Amino acid sequence: MAELGAGSLPLGDPAFNYQEHELNERLKRLYPAVNEEETPLPRSWSPKDKYSYIGLSQNNLRVHYKGHGKNHKDAASVRATHPIPAACGIYYFEVKIVSKGRDGYMGIGLSAQGVNMNRLPGWDKHSYGYHGDDGHSFCSSGTGQPYGPTFTTGDVIGCCVNLINNTCFYTKNGISLGVAFTDLPPNLYPTVGLQTPGEIVDANFGQQPFVFDIEDYMSEWRAKIHGMIARFPIGERLGEWQAVLQNMVSSYLVHHGYCATATAFARATETLIQEDQTSIKNRQRIQKLVLAGRVGEAIEATQQLYPGLLEHNPNLLFMLKCRQFVEMVNGTDSEVRCLSIRSPKSQDSYPGSPSLSPRHGASNTHLHAGGADSPTCSNGVTPPNKSKSHGGTGVGGIKYPSGSSSASSSTSSSPSSVNYSESNSSDSTKSQPHSANSTQETSDSEMEIEAEHYTNGVVEGSSARIMNGTYKHEEILQPDDNSIGNGVTADESCSNGRQLCGGNQAATERMIQFGRELQTLNEQLCHEYGKNATHKKMLQDAFSLLAYSDPWNCPVGQQLDPTQRETLCSALNSAILESQNLPKQPPLMLALGQATECVQLMARVRSGSCSFARVDNFLH
């Protein structure tokens, strides 16, 4: 148990919590390459690794001498709680002399684990110290060398360990005193030693801003490392490397569905695109639906374009279904959104209503729909002021467990190879009278995900949606649905009145029904594949949203954050690519991940310069 003396702050004290926060932030800024779960940074002196003549207080940051102080045999030292991690690259701490005591026989420095604590730092092997009474430096020897000025009450002495070149220098009141030691071994601990009564020192491991500008010194070394990397000789292989990098960039653009950008890049660099544009756009549209919170439509589109994919990926299917339930709570999924924008009186007047859909009847082992002439709103509900859907593009059926339905209705059967990117040119053109470009050009520009932003399920800067496998325009937000973001009306939004399923009773009932179907699906998967703890946790978290009057501000409310869609979007995109015999991850990301991990590994095993060679710094 840590010694707590006068002036110590209790753990629950707000001031202590603030100091801890400041310490954490400063250490992260100074040592970004350090993973403290693996290699903790020194934060205080160790009450277990000290000589008996040493007393600790002030949260183990203040050290005072409590021995006799007659001669050098009464010297006493204390080490920090942890050694300096190699991944620091450069490490720094400061010690303030609160009182020099009787003689000022104080030593500040470093020592390895196991070095005798009944000595001042620097007197023994693998021990290094700068002493205040004579200003000498001691390097694993009882004989010191002239180094710097003496120090006394009020002075602040800093110790900097450079793990790049294995040297150490000290500072006094913010001024560097030059290199004191070279060829330092690894795994050294910050150490202080005292020898006469009245000597008191305070340590600063980052709890307060340092007197010396250590960040400027680190910046100098960071610039040196970056310059060394920039000057690395490439030689005759420049052309070969450029070709490899161009192919990697091209595949990255294709992977994320940046169709127009990928085409322009391929044209400029004379590289080949492995995937045709139609396939890229299909994947892109599915991603847009997921990122907009319209997961039911994304499932429907995936079933149509990639039949069998979700059947062969039950884990992915379950993730999508759970996310769809969450989006129903949010009010963004079309299963409830189409209900929430209609008046209750009109709900039974639409033959495509989810509650009347054939998939809820006895023959629900396959997906069904109303056909080409059946008015539908993406999955079975007609939006107000809309006539027939575009064409009759079909959705291939997918078997579900008894009692479980699909994420959204499908239309009448047709070949599953239908081109999902084909739009009704005349209708698309009519819906955008302001555009002088061709339908194809409009489609290309609208498909660029990087030009759009998603907020609470609404695509900003775009007015396009997918309906029964056909791309329609100006239907994501209708002027008459008076809705925003997550299905909440504008008036409700202004008063922060977010409601479950947009506050619509029919939508809430549909959500509850969907929850039952989701539970049935989970039971079926357990029966076929065995119990799955991940599925259980996913389902519990999703259903837990209903236990709170305000799901958006509850312990599990983070599920409703739109950013939670990104992981699922990436997983679905990778599964689609893998089903087409394309890399599930772009080679560029794999290369960057490997380089990042390699640099971190090298930093952990005493290649200090790697701490200042973060891959992220070279991506701008």
Side-chain angles (χ1 to χ4, degrees), residues 464-497:
R465 76 176 301 173
I466 296 169
M467 229 175 134
N468 296 327
T470 304
Y471 195 71
K472 289 192 72 175
H473 300 281
E474 300 184 351
E475 290 184 45
I476 282 186
L477 287 182
Q478 298 295 337
D480 58 343
D481 50 358
N482 192 32
S483 63
I484 62 172
N486 51 8
V488 182
T489 65
D491 292 337
E492 290 170 340
S493 175
C494 293
S495 61
N496 294 321

Side-chain angles (χ1 to χ4, degrees), residues 395-468:
V395 179
I398 179 173
K399 290 187 178 180
Y400 279 80
S402 178
S404 174
S405 74
S406 71
S408 53
S409 299
S410 59
T411 57
S412 60
S413 61
S414 68
S416 60
S417 59
V418 62
N419 182 357
Y420 193 62
S421 69
E422 290 178 0
S423 301
N424 186 313
S425 300
S426 61
D427 286 357
S428 297
T429 305
K430 290 177 183 177
S431 68
Q432 297 191 16
H434 60 277
S435 174
N437 297 329
S438 68
T439 303
Q440 182 61 42
E441 289 172 340
T442 302
S443 179
D444 282 348
S445 64
E446 287 176 343
M447 287 302 93
E448 289 302 309
I449 293 178
E450 68 251 56
E452 298 175 354
H453 304 280
Y454 299 91
T455 306
N456 290 331
V458 179
V459 184
E460 298 176 2
S462 173
S463 58
R465 76 176 301 173
I466 296 169
M467 229 175 134
N468 296 327

Side-chain angles (χ1 to χ4, degrees), residues 194-465:
L194 309 175
Q195 189 177 314
T196 63
E199 295 171 352
I200 305 173
V201 298
D202 283 347
N204 178 11
F205 294 104
Q207 284 82 2
Q208 303 293 331
F210 293 118
V211 177
F212 177 71
D213 191 350
I214 188 61
E215 293 189 57
D216 184 62
Y217 178 75
M218 288 179 168
S219 296
E220 292 178 8
W221 272 94
R222 190 171 290 108
K224 288 181 183 178
I225 301 302
H226 289 190
M228 180 180 68
I229 294 172
R231 292 190 300 271
F232 182 81
I234 297 178
E236 299 177 354
R237 300 187 62 189
L238 175 61
E240 179 186 340
W241 288 10
Q242 282 183 329
V244 171
L245 288 174
Q246 287 169 355
N247 284 323
M248 292 173 73
V249 171
S250 177
S251 65
Y252 175 84
L253 295 173
V254 169
H255 176 91
H256 290 288
Y258 302 148
C259 186
T261 306
T263 302
F265 182 81
R267 189 182 302 118
T269 58
E270 298 182 351
T271 55
L272 296 175
I273 297 179
Q274 295 182 347
E275 189 178 5
D276 63 79
Q277 288 195 18
T278 299
S279 177
I280 298 172
K281 291 177 182 178
N282 288 338
R283 285 192 299 104
Q284 186 187 54
R285 287 169 182 157
I286 292 173
Q287 290 180 76
K288 288 178 70 174
L289 288 169
V290 174
L291 292 174
R294 291 155 56 180
V295 182
E297 293 172 79
I299 294 175
E300 177 185 357
T302 303
Q303 292 168 2
Q304 175 187 354
L305 292 162
Y306 309 100
L309 173 64
L310 296 181
E311 276 190 316
H312 296 122
N313 288 271
N315 289 333
L316 177 59
L317 173 62
F318 191 78
M319 286 172 60
L320 286 164
K321 290 285 193 175
C322 284
R323 186 67 212 178
Q324 186 181 3
F325 181 85
V326 172
E327 296 300 347
M328 285 183 173
V329 176
N330 229 347
T332 51
D333 189 80
S334 296
E335 285 267 359
V336 297
R337 196 167 185 275
C338 289
L339 288 170
S340 66
I341 63 177
R342 303 204 322 269
S343 64
K345 294 180 180 179
S346 66
Q347 287 171 9
D348 294 334
S349 63
Y350 297 99
S353 172
S355 61
L356 302 176
S357 173
R359 62 195 172 90
H360 295 296
S363 58
N364 64 347
T365 55
H366 288 75
L367 294 181
H368 299 284
D373 295 331
S374 175
T376 58
C377 177
S378 106
N379 45 14
V381 181
T382 302
N385 303 326
K386 296 296 170 184
S387 59
K388 297 177 183 179
S389 62
H390 285 202
T393 52
V395 179
I398 179 173
K399 290 187 178 180
Y400 279 80
S402 178
S404 174
S405 74
S406 71
S408 53
S409 299
S410 59
T411 57
S412 60
S413 61
S414 68
S416 60
S417 59
V418 62
N419 182 357
Y420 193 62
S421 69
E422 290 178 0
S423 301
N424 186 313
S425 300
S426 61
D427 286 357
S428 297
T429 305
K430 290 177 183 177
S431 68
Q432 297 191 16
H434 60 277
S435 174
N437 297 329
S438 68
T439 303
Q440 182 61 42
E441 289 172 340
T442 302
S443 179
D444 282 348
S445 64
E446 287 176 343
M447 287 302 93
E448 289 302 309
I449 293 178
E450 68 251 56
E452 298 175 354
H453 304 280
Y454 299 91
T455 306
N456 290 331
V458 179
V459 184
E460 298 176 2
S462 173
S463 58
R465 76 176 301 173

Side-chain angles (χ1 to χ4, degrees), residues 39 42 79 82-89 91 110-115 125-128 140 161-168 181-191 602-608:
T39 53
R79 271 187 286 268
H82 301 285
I84 300 168
C88 288
Y91 180 80
L110 309 159
S111 66
Q113 181 69 46
V115 171
K125 187 177 181 181
H126 296 152
S127 179
Y128 309 85
S140 302
V161 181
N162 187 324
L163 297 156
I164 300 172
N165 59 13
N166 300 316
T167 63
C168 170
F181 310 113
T182 60
D183 301 320
L184 292 176
N187 300 318
L188 294 175
Y189 291 72
T191 307
M602 292 172 68
R604 290 197 295 268
V605 295
R606 285 205 75 214
S607 182

Side-chain angles (χ1 to χ4, degrees), residues 88-104:
C88 288
I90 291 173
Y91 180 80
Y92 184 75
F93 72 98
E94 288 182 341
V95 175
K96 181 177 181 179
I97 313 304
V98 178
S99 172
K100 78 176 188 65
R102 190 183 71 197
D103 299 323

